[in-house]
Amino acid sequence: MSGRGQPRGGPPPGQTQGRGRGSDYRGGDRGRGGGGGRGRGSDSGSSERGDRGRGGGGDRGRGGRGGGTFHRDQFAVPKGAIFTAGGEPLEQPDEEVEKKENAVIRPREEVPLGALSINDYSLPPRPSHGTQGRKIVLRTNYFKMLTRPGAVIYRYKINITPKIENPSGGINRRKTRRLVELLIANNSSLKTPGVATEYGKLFFSAAKLPLGGSSMTLTQKFWELEDDGPGPNSTTYKVNLSEDGSIPIQQLLDYISSPPGTTTAGFDKAEVIQALNVIITRTANERREIYGGGKSNKFYNLPPSVDWYDLGSGLIALKGFYTSVRTSTLRILVNINVANAAFYPPIPLIGLMRTHTPQSVNDARSGLEAFITRLRVSHTYLGKKKVKTVQGFSHPGPQNLTHPSLGNANNLKFECKEVQASGEISVFEYFKKSKFNTQLPIVKLLTTAEYKIMLKHPNDPCVNLGTKQNPVFVPPELCTVEPGQQYGKKLSDDQTAKMITFAVRKPAENARRIVEQGAAMMALSETNQNLLTFGVKVTPKMITVNARVLPPGRVQYKSKQNKITPYLTERGNWDLREKAFTEGKKLRNWTFIKFIDNDINRKDIDEFRKIARNSGVDSDNPEPPAGVTKPLRPGKDYQDSNDKLIRETLEIASQKGLRVLLIILPDTNAFIYSRVKLYAETRYGIQTICCVGMKLRDKGLQYWANIAHKFNLKLGGINQTLPPDKLGYLRDGKTMLVGMDVTHPSPGSLDGSPSIAGIVASVDGQYGQWPSSMRTQASRMEMIQELEEMFSERLDLFQKINKGALPDRIIIYRDGVSEGQYRTVLEEELPQVRNACKKRYPGGKGPKISFVVCGKRHHTRFYPTRPEDADDKGQQNPHNGTVVDRGITMEKEWDFFLQAHHCLQGTAKPTHYVVIRDENGMDADGLESLTHNLCYLFGRATKAVSLCPPAYYADLLCERGRMYLYKDFNARENATVTSGQVYDPNRAEWIKDVHPAIKDSMFYI
């Protein structure tokens, strides 16, 4: 919550140049411009997947719903257009940067042995740059930061006493921010150009502050933005500013221009980057029509100054911008990208409640109370604006969140002798009769206005604007939601779909928005006086980088002559016409079950069997009770009865010896799907494929073919393989590929809910089957805690399938690790891998191990500079196979960006790969080509995917674990959850792995 007041003007929604030569500013040791970086983060999008937004979004948001608007005209581009930066001449990639990049390459034979030692946790240097593929030039969403020689940033610590804490504990960031704002406003030395703060613990200045020593203590009374000034009971705080060192920007420039292995005593790169990030966001932080996203570096214009999009159920979507300072060889850069987020609309609270829960706002089981609790609202019935925080509803009888009804203005009564001499008075009568003054107990009024209020909606539940100990109940029709309140919980499936509609945009459209609106919002210009005072400025043009388009992949299937045959692909896509799976399995001991009352029958299933047979999956007739119908009832009120029906049906199937089930569901309800998977895979050892009844008819042959893909993989088959010339380091079949991931509890989970760790591994030289191991572990622990045991299971299965042989090489693709955790992976996970190997390899001689981190949570995007370099069959993104390992990559380590997929909609998001350990002697061309070719091996698709399949499979595995713990991970949607309830592992429905009958299969696909 912002605490910055209302935006300017209008009713709220819901109510009616060059490279820097010849300048004092420079980006490196040769006077060149800004630099690059990796740009981690997250944004909404869509992709070839549909489960976590791989690969960018699309061009669909045509207008608001339910009163919302979203006008695309301002940044819309003609069909087939690329971003041209207003027709300005294309600035070529910086030649000096490329020369320096070439100069710092360290051939492998020159790397000291210590750099490969398990005792050295530094990342390996880049052994080479890639050369394969067609060379192109791309724009990227980075802007040069130029710096003035000798510029120094002075840092100060902020210490506030007493601490400003929330009632439940922890620092109240909103109030802390407000106090620092007041401090700056009331002290002239703190509000001039050349100062910046993150409104919490740190303060930065371009010149030394006049502290009169090493520290200074100021006093500041606190009052809210809507108040005229401090009141008689305002708290006075002491704010101490103390020197915390100086930061010469030149040290950062020296670091990013020095060769790998170079160190500077006392230099902390993260501190310089932190200071620059605070400095460049000062203007956006000060503008009250902009919400700053809490701790993050995302900023959003607030209604009514911008258009908005109705997500339904009481939420709207807004567009904003992410910004971050990054570094690369010779350069400092500012990364800007479009961001999208859900917000509460600034409308009357009564309207918000009815929009969220149109059926009955009086039903506590609707989840409405959780939706508005902690929401900041204002009221003006006292004659002036007051802003308070909603603590919940009033409840008649026991204060129990599961009570079916809520206290409203008619039935909520209390004693108030000032209004009614004897007995209790209702809230409705209280507001009707009261002459408001400071003596009345129900609300702490600050005025003596004598007006009376006739409530229009007395049957709606009152909200508590006090505390739980001293409640203050106010009718919601007297309250208005304050602007700038981001929704931090999980969106519903329908809201998620609408958010994607709002978020996905063509690359040229997003690029225009970034250049024309994003840079302006952040005031990142060459004339920003605050930046100039600090000795920095940002050029207004996106930089360009050199890139390459790798040769298209090829895949192998069985031909009509039953021979393994390689086939060409086009834009990363292919089809199954005249082809069959490389290794098809037979479908036995199976049947189909309908949890929906529709007309899908045996004839439809026979059509599926025919399609599956043509794809290489033969099948027996479905076993009795084929087509048995067990209709499920819609709605949360029937979750328990649906759960019982699913469990009993699967138990009967297990008793009949059925091993595979095709389950036809009424819709995509996540609860129903989760219960099917939990019971089938963890209790009964049954492979299941779920499909929606309506889609079986609507989608036709392609839908059945997709189901055949899954059946074959679950049965142990192999759908497609790579030709030998595309296998690279894998050609001899002695390499085990591994994917690892960890997923964490989402907003709305029970407190203390566990994280879920999963690993998958190949079992032979075809790389078509990827069995797995999966565990729960400590909540929000990113490093895999039981990796040694899990990795041992993967080695044992590899050894079993390969007749006692163990892999000579292991290449691990690790998903979900942030930049600050690379070293932790080497310190905590790599030793566990080695320990698992030591126990299995004779003489202690283990395999050579390479570790590659895969990142999708970043904000780097690429834009074609020529029409021929754009994918004209998509959204004018770069072609699939585009790789970038220069210009914006890490200055001392080995990384690259790869867009392996053809993006069907929106702006493509490449995957960022970082090598944190390499003992296999790989080079850039070898690893980039291998990773690209592996993206053609994702078994359930006939297209190249955006994330390398080992990591992709590990991600799917962890998502399956989330399904097993659906009730805990979606507790706030569960009406039986009580306030204060926490996760109890002793009562958990699942802890680790699956039923022994399917543990060595790809059950999770």
Side-chain angles (χ1 to χ4, degrees), residues 23 133 274 575 595 850:
S23 167
Q274 179 190 40
D575 57 51
F595 285 122
S850 296

Side-chain angles (χ1 to χ4, degrees), residues 49 51 673 677 681 687-690 706-717 719 760 768-772 774 937-941 945 949-950 952-961 964 994 998 1001-1005:
R49 298 181 52 173
D51 60 336
Y673 178 83
K677 294 302 180 181
E681 294 170 356
Q687 299 276 19
T688 59
I689 297 215
C690 297
N706 292 339
I707 292 175
H709 275 80
K710 294 182 181 180
F711 266 123
N712 196 47
L713 291 173
K714 288 174 183 282
L715 294 171
N719 290 350
V760 303
Q769 275 290 306
W770 302 79
S772 63
M774 180 168 47
L937 274 187
F938 185 65
R940 76 179 193 192
V945 293
Y952 197 155
Y953 287 137
D955 176 71
L956 291 181
L957 176 67
C958 290
E959 288 298 317
R960 183 54 52 84
Y964 297 158
V994 292
I998 62 172
S1001 73
M1002 294 180 70
F1003 63 89
Y1004 56 86
I1005 198 68

Side-chain angles (χ1 to χ4, degrees), residues 497-607:
K498 290 179 180 178
M499 176 62 84
I500 292 173
T501 296
F502 174 73
V504 292
R505 291 291 174 267
K506 296 177 182 178
E509 195 172 324
N510 269 342
R512 278 198 63 194
R513 188 179 293 272
I514 290 168
V515 171
E516 297 176 21
Q517 189 181 61
M521 175 192 280
M522 306 306 301
L524 299 182
S525 70
E526 295 178 300
T527 60
N528 182 314
Q529 191 58 46
N530 185 63
L531 296 183
L532 291 174
T533 305
F534 274 105
V536 301
K537 64 181 178 180
V538 181
T539 59
K541 296 180 181 180
M542 286 187 179
I543 69 165
T544 57
V545 294
N546 288 310
R548 292 168 287 113
V549 181
L550 299 177
R554 288 180 292 134
V555 291
Q556 291 187 152
Y557 287 91
K558 278 186 179 179
S559 66
K560 292 185 68 174
Q561 292 74 34
N562 206 34
K563 293 182 178 180
I564 302 297
T565 305
Y567 293 91
L568 296 174
T569 62
E570 182 178 1
R571 293 184 173 86
N573 293 273
W574 62 94
D575 57 51
L576 282 177
R577 286 177 292 184
E578 308 297 321
K579 308 177 188 72
F581 297 140
T582 300
E583 182 181 326
K585 295 294 184 179
K586 187 166 184 176
L587 187 55
R588 298 185 175 92
N589 299 325
W590 80 288
T591 195
F592 69 101
I593 295 174
K594 299 194 300 180
F595 285 122
I596 180 176
D597 189 9
N598 66 3
D599 58 354
I600 298 294
N601 54 38
R602 178 62 181 271
K603 182 179 179 181
D604 298 300
I605 300 303
D606 287 342
E607 180 65 23

